[in-house]
Amino acid sequence: MQATAYTYDPDSRSGQVLLDDGTPVPFDAAAFDAGGLRLLRPGQRVRIETEGEGAALRITLVTLQTF
């Protein structure tokens, strides 16, 4: 699934992405670390992997979108 980086806190390595429908979804340090990134800037296009649905949706991986 693709999303756009919305917020990122380098101290906690957590933040939020915006899904294509505009829904913000938070991610934690574990999801950020799983993608092997060092930094994330708002507006970057990212690829995410998720678990669950609706209110239980949880991001398990955040990495850069590559073509």
Side-chain angles (χ1 to χ4, degrees):
M1 177 183 294
Q2 296 181 30
T4 302
Y6 182 51
T7 64
Y8 175 68
D9 176 17
D11 294 328
S12 66
R13 297 182 328 281
S14 63
Q16 289 184 319
V17 299
L18 292 177
L19 301 181
D20 288 343
D21 67 1
T23 304
V25 181
F27 63 87
D28 59 15
F32 183 78
D33 292 345
L37 299 176
R38 295 187 303 173
L39 180 66
L40 191 60
R41 289 186 297 269
Q44 282 183 301
R45 197 68 175 155
V46 294
R47 184 177 68 85
I48 59 172
E49 293 183 7
T50 62
E51 291 180 342
E53 296 178 8
L57 184 69
R58 182 173 93 72
I59 296 176
T60 59
L61 177 125
V62 178
T63 192
L64 292 181
Q65 178 63 38
T66 58
F67 299 98

